[in-house]
């Protein structure tokens, strides 16, 4: 199953907190952890400082408290915990699935469940709100999608088309119920 994972498993970069203007790059691959830094300073003594790099095995990273404290200081405790879990072999396979496959899975859910799923992560919020998802949702849940409906969806968005058609269907059902109720009273 680990062969399905892409390399790198995790990668991020950014500047340190305000007191330290250095720039950092952090990568976790299937076999190593790479910690890189560049000193950014207007001081003349730091002008010719060379970038640094530390490349360690997963086990060495787990044993190296200094690198862990640096990662935590620059990127936060959550990133440190996540990368330590990766180094221990605890992979998030769902995070590495391609968007096209996730969209197919999401479209098999009920809409209420899609709403709940969208609250779990930024990636799922983006996928659950995407035009690709709503186009698939309209095509899956509506019997036919006319050419006019498809062209209107290009302008208005598939999500708007979906909810508009659902509201119109509900209104039609209400009108029919009222008519039947009126007829039954006669």
């Amino acid at each position: 199953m680990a062969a399905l994972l892409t390399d790198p498993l995790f990668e991020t970069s950014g500047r340190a907190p305000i007191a330290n203007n250095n720039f950092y790059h952090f990568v976790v691959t299937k076999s190593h952890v790479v910690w890189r830094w560049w000193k950014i300073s207007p001081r003349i003594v730091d002008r010719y400082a060379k970038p640094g790099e530390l490349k360690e095995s997963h086990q060495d990273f787990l044993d190296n408290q200094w690198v862990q404290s640096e990662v935590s200081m620059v990127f936060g405790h959550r990133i440190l915990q996540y990368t330590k879990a990766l180094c221990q072999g605890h992979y998030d396979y769902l995070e590495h699935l391609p968007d096209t496959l996730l969209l197919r899975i999401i479209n098999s859910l009920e809409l209420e469940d899609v709403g709940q799923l969208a609250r779990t992560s930024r990636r799922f919020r983006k996928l659950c709100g995407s035009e690709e998802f709503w186009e698939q949702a309209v095509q899956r849940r509506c019997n036919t999608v006319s050419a006019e409906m498809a062209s209107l969806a290009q302008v208005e968005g598939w999500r708007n088309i979906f909810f508009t058609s659902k509201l119109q269907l509900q209104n039609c059902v209400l009108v029919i119920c009222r008519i039947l109720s009126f007829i039954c009273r006669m």
Side-chain angles (χ1 to χ4, degrees):
M1 192 78 158
L4 298 174
L5 297 174
T6 58
D7 219 0
L9 301 174
F10 178 79
E11 183 172 14
T12 189
S13 58
R15 292 179 70 169
I18 295 172
N20 175 353
N21 283 330
N22 296 345
F23 186 80
Y24 295 91
H25 186 231
F26 184 49
V27 181
V28 178
T29 67
K30 290 180 183 178
S31 59
H32 290 88
V33 172
V34 181
W35 178 249
R36 295 183 182 111
W37 61 92
W38 293 264
K39 190 160 194 73
I40 300 172
S41 173
R43 296 175 25 181
I44 293 173
V45 294
D46 295 329
R47 186 166 292 166
Y48 299 106
K50 294 182 180 179
E53 178 179 290
L54 180 65
K55 185 175 183 179
E56 297 184 320
S57 69
H58 288 176
Q59 189 57 51
D60 289 342
F61 171 71
L62 292 171
D63 295 336
N64 191 333
Q65 294 299 315
W66 175 79
V67 176
Q68 289 182 31
S69 68
E70 291 286 303
V71 170
S72 181
M73 176 193 68
V74 175
F75 299 112
H77 188 69
R78 285 184 53 222
I79 296 294
L80 174 63
Q81 294 306 315
Y82 178 70
T83 55
K84 283 173 63 176
L86 288 175
C87 291
Q88 293 168 342
H90 304 291
Y91 304 119
D92 185 359
Y93 292 102
L94 192 59
E95 187 65 33
H96 293 280
L97 288 176
D99 288 350
T100 54
L101 181 57
L102 286 173
L103 283 171
R104 290 182 69 187
I105 294 169
I106 293 169
N107 258 301
S108 66
L109 299 174
E110 295 297 323
L111 285 180
E112 295 82 17
D113 297 330
V114 171
Q116 294 294 325
L117 181 64
R119 294 184 186 116
T120 62
S121 72
R122 287 184 186 123
R123 184 176 184 203
F124 282 122
R125 182 179 15 195
K126 181 181 171 191
L127 286 172
C128 293
S130 71
E131 279 297 302
E132 294 88 358
F133 167 75
W134 286 103
E135 180 178 0
Q136 291 175 15
V138 168
Q139 292 175 348
R140 181 173 171 257
R141 291 170 176 88
C142 297
N143 293 338
T144 59
V145 176
S146 66
E148 295 85 23
M149 184 183 234
S151 64
L152 182 61
Q154 297 302 321
V155 175
E156 296 293 325
W158 285 99
R159 181 182 173 132
N160 291 340
I161 295 297
F162 179 83
F163 285 110
T164 301
S165 64
K166 288 291 181 188
L167 289 173
Q168 288 173 347
L169 181 61
Q170 287 175 351
N171 287 339
C172 289
V173 169
L174 287 173
V175 169
I176 291 171
C177 287
R178 287 181 188 150
I179 292 171
L180 289 175
S181 172
F182 179 74
I183 291 172
C184 290
R185 280 192 240 150
M186 294 178 111

